[in-house]
Every structure is written in C-alpha cells, then in structure tokens.
Amino acid sequence: MKKYSIQEVGQLSLREKVGQLFNVRVESLVPGVEGSVTEGSDAMTDFFRQYPCGGVTLFGANITGPEQIAAFTDYLHGLGNYPWIFVDEEGGRVARVGQNTHFQLPRIGTMASIGATGDPEKAREAGRIFGEYLLGMGFDVDLAPVCDVITNPENTVISDRAFGTTPERVALMAPAFLQGLREQKMEGCLKHFPGHGNTSTDSHVGYSESLKTWEELDICEMIPFRAGIAAGAKMIMTAHVCLPNVTGDKVPATISRMILTDILRGRLGYRGLILTDSLEMGAISQYYSKEEAVLMALEAGVDVLLTPLDYAKAFDAVMEAVESGRITMEMVDDRVSRILALKKELLQKRGQLLI
C-alpha cells in the first residue's frame, strides 16, 4: 500500500495554495483535449506543474475498467500533495461506477426506495457497499448522500435521488449512509445545502429558487443537515438555489455569504469543508463569468471550488484577487488548512499517511 506525504500550508507556494481550492474535471488538466480522458500523460503532468489542483472529479466516461481506474487513480494521487479523487455514487440513476457495464458490482437502487423501507440499516449498508468498492478503485470522496427533502412533487432534478418526502425520514437515512461510507474509510458529502427538494426547475439548466422563508426551511430542509452535522459530516455541498425570502435577493446559495457563512457556519455551527456544486451548471454559468463565480464563492465562505468551466482562467482569477488584496492570504490559508487536515485524516485512517 502506497504512502503519501501532505505538506503543511506554510510549506506551499501561493500557486500550490490556490490549486488546493479547486477540484476539477480531469479533462481540465489537458487543455484542448477532445473526448474523455482515461489515463495520465506527460501533457497532464506538465500542466499540473503550472496549474496544480487539490483534486479531481471523475465521471462515468473516465472509468473503463478495473485495471484502468486503479492505474489512473494511482497516477493522479502521485501528481503532487495528494490530489484527492471525488465521484458521484448515490445509487439509482447517479452511479458513475455502479451503472458502468465494465464492472460486476452490486446494483443499488434509488435512495427513495431505500428510504421507503424506513430502515436506516439499509442506508448504512448501501454506503458500506459503495465505500468498499470505491476505496478499492482509489477514490477518496463519494459526493453523497443527498440530504434534500422532496416537498415539491414537480421536482425532477432530485426526485428519487432523495430518501423521502419528510425531513424526519431523510434525517434518519442520510447519517446512516454516511456512517456506512466511513466504515470503509471513505468520506461522504451531504448535499445540496440549503435544499433542492422544493424547487420546480433544474439548476443544471438555469435559474432555480425556493420561496420558503427561514422559518419554513428551519423546520424542514435544515433538519437533515443538522442531523448530518451532528453525525460528524466533514463535507457539505451547496445548491445553486436562490432563497429570495431569506436573503432578500436572487443570489444563488453557492455565492451567498448569508447562506454559507451566517447560516451554515453561524446558525448550524458547521465546521467542515464547504464545496460548491459544479460551477459548470447553468444556474451559475449563465449569470456569472467564470472568474467572478469562483471569487464570489470564496467570499461567501466556500472551501472547495468544484469543476469550474475553465480551470486556468478561474485559477488565474483567484491568483490576481489574492495579489490585489480582494481575497486575503488569511482567507486562503484558512481554507487550505481545512482541506489539508481532512486529506491527512483520510490517509491516516487508511494507514497511508507518510509522516
């Protein structure tokens, strides 16, 4: 079993620090490439030296078989300061590995079907199964469980990805799923804060909102997230959902300081990593430039910027913002310290931390 060292924040150059704030599509590390990338290359290694990143997210097209994915994740982990590898493995229709015909793996149904049993042990077992095979392939973080509560029957973006239609059911199931992942030394990520189950539009495509007040959110959407935080969640992903009756504006939660800093960190007391949902999605990319989106997310309280549309431009924008003083070094160091601490924790649990 390979071991990896994690540098302290004070040992990193500014470019290395800024890179830690990003988790990118692997294609972003080979500018100009056509199609999906399934292996490392000299071009990727060279680009990483100039634009290092904290991690990558792999999708179904990046995964073509057991030997391929083991070799690819091994290469990626060795690029520098342990880029961690994320994947969406929720079960049902969102399973980048489980739905892949190149693998003979247990097929886990929708989280709605698991939630309908009322048995949290079913959710824990699903997390355990995912964690076991994902860890074996070299993944570090499963971007699950979904903590959304389906309160709008017209919701299609979340739909059967959620454990249920009541906050109590979701609050019972999501922490159990997270526990199952952790039993296999995998980390999970609660999503999509502050809730995507009440919307009628898809934030992948464009503007999405919930008209609930804070009081309404607090007795519904917040209940599963509070349960997940109480269970020790280390990662929470944002939703690109606007809450005009909470914030008084139409700014998506991903770039709202009120939602992420005042509410998630302040009222809910969350101390782990905050990840954006993909910054490629229409609710962000249609209304904000590549550069402004990442800066507003950092100012709102985000730690990890997920799959920006143009990694080099986003990276350069953060570098320029630090150099101009818009983003302070204290802010960068604070976020990078949290990221490196969790990387160390994961590797230590697996006996892979080189001290």
Side-chain angles (χ1 to χ4, degrees):
M1 182 179 292
K2 283 190 176 181
K3 293 194 174 186
Y4 302 88
S5 61
I6 302 290
Q7 292 177 284
E8 300 293 340
V9 65
Q11 299 173 292
L12 303 181
S13 69
L14 177 57
R15 293 189 72 85
E16 289 170 328
K17 289 178 183 180
V18 168
Q20 286 296 314
L21 303 173
F22 287 92
N23 189 287
V24 304
R25 281 184 180 268
V26 72
E27 287 78 15
S28 295
L29 300 179
V30 194
V33 69
E34 295 184 5
S36 299
V37 173
T38 58
E39 62 184 1
S41 63
D42 290 343
M44 188 182 298
T45 301
D46 291 343
F47 183 82
F48 185 90
R49 290 194 185 106
Q50 185 179 5
Y51 286 97
C53 64
V56 300
T57 298
L58 298 184
F59 293 83
N62 304 122
I63 304 166
T64 62
E67 292 183 3
Q68 173 268 335
I69 191 58
F72 197 18
T73 55
D74 182 63
Y75 161 83
L76 291 168
H77 281 146
L79 281 173
N81 220 27
Y82 197 76
W84 50 7
I85 303 172
F86 295 2
V87 68
D88 287 285
E89 198 75 3
E90 301 173 7
R93 58 192 161 104
V94 181
R96 312 302 187 195
V97 182
Q99 293 283 2
N100 195 311
T101 57
H102 295 95
F103 299 89
Q104 298 298 315
L105 294 168
R107 294 298 176 95
I108 305 297
T110 66
M111 293 303 101
S113 66
I114 289 176
T117 69
D119 183 0
E121 182 60 22
K122 301 289 187 185
R124 187 202 65 80
E125 180 64 9
R128 189 197 63 76
I129 291 169
F130 291 150
E132 183 176 19
Y133 69 67
L134 291 176
L135 182 65
M137 295 175 191
F139 291 99
D140 298 289
V141 176
D142 183 6
L143 296 174
V146 171
C147 277
D148 302 310
V149 182
I150 296 298
T151 57
N152 184 346
E154 296 180 8
N155 183 292
T156 57
V157 61
I158 303 299
S159 174
D160 60 5
R161 296 165 63 193
F163 285 106
T165 59
T166 67
E168 293 78 15
R169 179 59 54 88
V170 179
L172 183 68
M173 296 291 173
F177 183 102
L178 186 63
Q179 178 189 349
L181 286 175
R182 289 194 163 162
E183 288 173 8
Q184 301 299 319
K185 300 181 176 63
M186 280 287 295
E187 193 54 68
C189 176
L190 311 182
K191 62 185 187 186
H192 307 81
F193 188 85
H196 210 324
N198 187 52
T199 62
S200 57
T201 54
D202 185 348
S203 57
H204 290 85
V205 178
Y207 180 80
S208 189
E209 71 177 4
S210 168
L211 296 178
K212 285 192 172 186
T213 64
W214 167 250
E215 290 73 23
E216 291 170 325
L217 289 169
D218 198 32
I219 60 172
C220 185
E221 280 79 0
M222 293 303 108
I223 291 176
F225 285 105
R226 289 184 191 276
I229 291 169
K234 305 286 187 180
M235 292 183 164
I236 292 180
M237 178 187 288
T238 69
H240 304 322
V241 172
C242 302
L243 299 171
N245 290 326
V246 176
T247 63
D249 56 37
K250 293 193 174 184
V251 174
T254 296
I255 54 177
S256 169
R257 185 171 179 82
M258 178 182 290
I259 299 298
L260 302 186
T261 297
D262 297 345
I263 293 178
L264 180 53
R265 293 241 186 258
R267 295 186 191 180
L268 272 62
Y270 176 63
R271 295 293 176 262
L273 293 180
I274 300 176
L275 289 65
T276 70
D277 203 343
S278 172
L279 293 170
E280 300 172 335
M281 291 164 62
I284 296 294
S285 62
Q286 286 186 21
Y287 304 96
Y288 304 90
S289 71
K290 305 175 186 71
E291 296 86 353
E292 196 62 19
V294 296
L295 298 181
M296 293 180 72
L298 290 173
E299 289 171 332
V302 161
D303 298 292
V304 178
L305 301 156
L306 194 67
T307 59
L309 268 173
D310 186 321
Y311 177 44
K313 285 186 178 180
F315 184 104
D316 289 343
V318 177
M319 284 291 296
E320 290 171 11
V322 174
E323 290 165 352
S324 72
R326 175 175 174 179
I327 301 293
T328 67
M329 279 306 307
E330 181 182 10
M331 183 188 297
V332 173
D333 287 349
D334 178 58
R335 279 133 169 98
V336 174
S337 294
R338 274 199 290 269
I339 292 165
L340 297 178
L342 186 51
K343 285 187 178 184
K344 282 185 177 180
E345 183 179 323
L346 280 174
L347 288 175
Q348 193 164 30
K349 284 180 181 177
R350 300 169 185 170
Q352 290 184 271
L353 181 62
L354 184 63
I355 301 176

